Amino acid sequence: MIAFIENLGESALNIFEKLGRGVVFFINALAGFPALILRFTLVIQQLYAVGVLSLIIIGVAGFFVGMVLGLQGYNTLIDFGAEESLGVVVALTLVRELGPVVSALLYAGRAGSALTAEIGLMKATEQLSAMEMMAVDPMHRVIAPRLLAGIIAVPLLAALFSAVGVMGGYFVGVGLVGVDEGTFWSQMQDSVDIYDDVLNGVIKSIVFGIVVTWIAVFEGYDTVPTSEGVSRATTRTVVHGSLAVLGLDFVLTALMFGD
Amino acid sequence: MVDSQSSASRESSSGDDKPLVEIRGLTFYRGSRAIFDNIDIDIHRGKLTAIMGPSGTGKTTLLRLIGGQLRPHAGTILVDGESVTKLSYKQLYQLRKRIGMLFQNGALFTHQNVFDNVAFALREHTKLPESMIRDIVLMKLEAVGLRGAHQLMPVELSGGMSRRVALARAIALDPMMMMYDEPFTGQDPITMGVLVSLLRRLNDALHLTSILVSHDVKETLSIADYAYVISEGKVVEHGTADALKNTQSDWVKQFLNGLSDGPVPFHYPAGDLYEDLLNGGKS
Ligand SMILES: Nc1ncnc2c1ncn2[C@@H]1O[C@H](COP(=O)(O)OP(=O)(O)O)[C@@H](O)[C@H]1O
Ligand SMILES: [Mg+2]
């Protein structure tokens, strides 16, 4: 029993210690942002790696999710004779929730894991140490551009996800089950609010972008420098990143749409 | 002990006799184990100084302490008159520009080709036009005999070639000092010979001061001006290569001659073998 409490205390301490290191790490990485203005190519390279290379999975997933929303929404709405509201349902669900959340989850799995593995391997093979000895701070040269690229990429990916999702909903709703095209779009235009819905969705995806990328680069940098360590860190990025997205989504939703 | 101002000394690149690296009372712990226990080491300008010792004695750790990547628990490390432990972040990074380090496994950037690896520090620290960077990089690669390989990726290189590329990268900024971490380990005899003479030639041609960390005794002593032997946190012997051969210490004799029998036991300390086998390790 005592041992159990001891273990509990120890894990709690470890968690807080790691959180502390993570916060210090984040601040150090932020300190590298101003210098990136002059060397934006570093960020662009990373935008390609985390953003452009995620386009396909985001686009395909968005289209499927939109099609499912179109079908499910239609089947539910038709019971109330409200099927012309399908456009609104699809758009609101995507812009407020599924766009930011699902794209952040996909980003964690596709780009976050790659970031962790890349940085972890650089650490394990002493590339980060070598950089330090060449008087180049890896926090500024490796971590900061990746963090910034992630923060820029995730909201854009979420926007793309929502846009493609609406197309998917349109394809099913208007193309397959026969909702009137005019009402589909005009109801959507009337009911989706730029501040309440779109802006809040964007804020969500910015927060997710920061948190998931932070977890990914920190896990990579904090890796135990062995092959096992890198593989564990990569798994942790996906698990912790996804849980953080879902948890934060609840908190943010409560704050934004709670009243 | 042996006189440090020995006959083997070559002309010093600067007139000044003060060592380039002066380590005093260095103490460093990993957990409760003292990796270094109050040791003193001098690295003289223009010389190639070897630090030898068995694996795990802390040779890599020593280089990291000199480079400011680790902090000692006690003692001072002066590099060119500056105390590494007291430098600010900026000053430390300034100092590192004047130190080149060859890592144990090369530590090349795997996503960049040979040329970009060597150009890395130049692009980071200078505003030289690309055409001049190209000239410098090709000259550095020529010095290690790999100018023809500048388009290759690190995965396409053999072990010896990787290390030479890493060497070219480390001298890219024309450092005042080079630190080599076990450059000979895992090399075939020919590559080994190439590296051995390369280190000596670079040291003399570029007027460097070199620290060579190794446990390859024969090769190391063949080129070192001066050597330290460390074990269990202490400097157990130091002197010129000739002086070390006449050492009085049985331990140093065993280490230098690679004998398996001597004061160093073959077995890691362990309990009784019978006990272990019969009781399944429960004591
Ligand atoms: N990051 C570390 N954490 C804990 N112990 C370490 C670490 N790095 C090295 N050590 C220990 O310090 C000792 C010296 O290591 P090192 O300097 O790499 O030895 P050498 O280069 O002489 O083989 C070893 O016993 C090793 O176990
Ligand atoms: Mg070592």
Side-chain angles (χ1 to χ4, degrees):
Chain A
M1 185 63 202
I2 299 280
F4 172 75
I5 295 174
E6 266 176 19
N7 282 340
L8 202 70
E10 197 182 319
S11 354
L13 276 180
N14 285 341
I15 291 172
F16 281 114
E17 201 232 313
K18 185 159 182 176
L19 261 177
R21 266 183 295 138
V23 170
V24 172
F25 171 90
F26 188 65
I27 293 168
N28 281 337
L30 286 186
F33 278 14
L36 290 175
I37 298 169
L38 293 176
R39 300 189 66 188
F40 210 70
T41 43
L42 288 179
V43 183
I44 291 175
Q45 284 165 5
Q46 295 310 319
L47 273 173
Y48 178 80
V50 299
V52 176
L53 295 182
S54 304
L55 282 179
I56 292 185
I57 184 174
I58 292 287
V60 171
F63 198 71
F64 279 120
V65 168
M67 289 201 297
V68 170
L69 283 177
L71 264 181
Q72 294 279 19
Y74 180 79
N75 286 337
T76 315
L77 291 171
I78 193 128
D79 292 343
F80 306 99
E83 68 271 19
E84 65 274 16
S85 302
L86 183 64
V88 185
V89 171
V90 169
L92 283 184
T93 320
L94 282 168
V95 169
R96 285 183 169 192
E97 276 306 320
L98 293 185
V101 172
V102 178
S103 58
L105 292 177
L106 293 173
Y107 170 85
R110 160 67 189 72
S113 58
L115 280 176
T116 306
E118 186 192 15
I119 297 170
L121 276 173
M122 287 181 84
K123 178 176 180 183
T125 53
E126 297 196 304
Q127 294 179 47
L128 297 182
S129 261
M131 212 177 261
E132 238 172 73
M133 286 305 297
M134 285 191 271
V136 176
D137 192 339
M139 283 305 285
H140 299 169
R141 181 62 171 66
V142 176
I143 304 298
R146 284 168 172 75
L147 186 58
L148 184 56
I151 294 173
I152 297 173
V154 173
L156 295 176
L157 291 174
L160 179 84
F161 185 98
S162 297
V164 176
V166 169
M167 297 312 294
Y170 170 83
F171 176 72
V172 168
V174 177
L176 295 184
V177 298
V179 175
D180 180 61
E181 180 168 4
T183 19
F184 183 90
W185 292 121
S186 64
Q187 286 236 3
M188 195 189 297
Q189 275 183 359
D190 288 346
S191 309
V192 178
D193 187 87
I194 181 85
Y195 293 111
D196 284 349
D197 305 318
V198 178
L199 187 67
N200 280 337
V202 171
I203 290 174
K204 273 187 180 179
S205 63
I206 291 175
V207 173
F208 297 160
I210 294 174
V211 172
V212 174
T213 317
W214 173 21
I215 291 177
V217 289
F218 177 63
E219 285 292 353
Y221 199 77
D222 204 46
T223 299
V224 179
T226 60
S227 10
E228 197 205 3
V230 174
S231 101
R232 279 165 178 262
T234 310
T235 309
R236 272 201 304 272
T237 291
V238 178
V239 173
H240 293 180
S242 308
L243 290 180
V245 166
L246 295 171
L248 281 169
D249 182 49
F250 175 74
V251 174
L252 290 172
T253 307
L255 290 175
M256 291 168 174
F257 308 104
D259 44 23
Chain B
M1 288 286 139
V2 195
D3 179 16
S4 65
Q5 305 296 325
S6 68
S7 55
S9 67
R10 287 152 208 256
E11 34 112 35
S12 171
S13 57
S14 75
D16 153 20
D17 261 359
K18 220 171 143 42
L20 183 63
V21 180
E22 227 182 315
I23 296 174
R24 290 290 173 270
L26 174 67
T27 301
F28 182 78
Y29 290 92
R30 284 278 190 201
S32 62
R33 180 181 156 212
I35 305 289
F36 297 116
D37 182 9
N38 195 13
I39 63 168
D40 299 340
I41 290 177
D42 283 345
I43 310 289
H44 286 275
R45 290 173 199 269
K47 300 284 164 51
L48 199 158
T49 305
I51 313 276
M52 294 187 292
S55 291
T57 34
K59 300 184 297 296
T60 303
T61 308
L62 182 66
L63 296 185
R64 286 188 188 282
L65 284 161
I66 295 173
Q69 287 188 318
L70 295 172
R71 298 193 153 260
H73 293 97
T76 57
I77 301 171
L78 293 183
V79 179
D80 202 18
E82 298 180 276
S83 173
V84 174
T85 46
K86 297 209 179 77
L87 294 179
S88 69
Y89 171 89
K90 274 228 171 75
Q91 291 167 321
L92 180 62
Y93 272 77
Q94 246 8 77
L95 176 66
R96 283 181 184 161
K97 286 185 195 170
R98 300 193 285 143
I99 302 177
M101 175 151 173
L102 181 65
F103 281 75
Q104 208 155 343
N105 55 18
L108 292 177
F109 302 132
T110 44
H111 60 285
Q112 295 180 339
N113 69 14
V114 166
F115 184 96
D116 291 334
N117 263 282
V118 180
F120 183 81
L122 291 164
R123 289 182 178 143
E124 291 291 326
H125 295 307
T126 69
K127 292 196 169 62
L128 295 175
E130 198 58 25
S131 64
M132 199 177 281
I133 288 185
R134 189 184 150 80
D135 293 348
I136 298 176
V137 169
L138 292 181
M139 270 157 54
K140 301 292 175 190
L141 281 171
E142 178 76 18
V144 298
L146 288 176
R147 185 166 48 86
H150 74 268
Q151 293 287 12
L152 298 182
M153 294 301 286
V155 286
E156 299 173 276
L157 304 174
S158 70
M161 284 161 84
S162 304
R163 230 163 277 189
R164 276 146 72 195
V165 173
L167 184 51
R169 184 178 70 174
I171 57 174
L173 287 179
D174 295 322
M176 60 171 182
M177 177 166 91
M178 275 297 302
M179 304 199 286
Y180 302 99
D181 193 355
E182 314 219 1
F184 311 131
T185 312
Q187 304 294 331
D188 62 71
I190 297 178
T191 323
M192 178 103 101
V194 170
L195 280 170
V196 169
S197 62
L198 188 57
L199 298 201
R200 182 75 247 183
R201 275 191 287 127
L202 280 179
N203 188 73
D204 298 344
L206 303 179
H207 303 294
L208 296 170
T209 300
S210 306
I211 307 179
L212 167 56
V213 151
S214 182
H215 53 226
D216 296 294
V217 174
K218 192 164 71 64
E219 291 74 19
T220 305
L221 286 185
S222 72
I223 52 167
D225 296 311
Y226 202 81
Y228 285 83
V229 180
I230 52 176
S231 170
E232 299 185 352
K234 295 279 189 198
V235 172
V236 289
E237 187 68 284
H238 62 104
T240 60
D242 291 336
L244 284 188
K245 283 176 193 140
N246 302 324
T247 178
Q248 297 305 307
S249 153
D250 286 342
W251 189 92
V252 177
K253 272 186 199 149
Q254 185 194 355
F255 176 72
L256 294 181
N257 297 317
L259 305 174
S260 66
D261 193 23
V264 183
F266 169 67
H267 288 286
Y268 190 85
D272 188 55
L273 176 63
Y274 271 123
E275 282 290 303
D276 243 5
L277 295 179
L278 292 177
N279 303 334
K282 290 185 233 60
S283 48

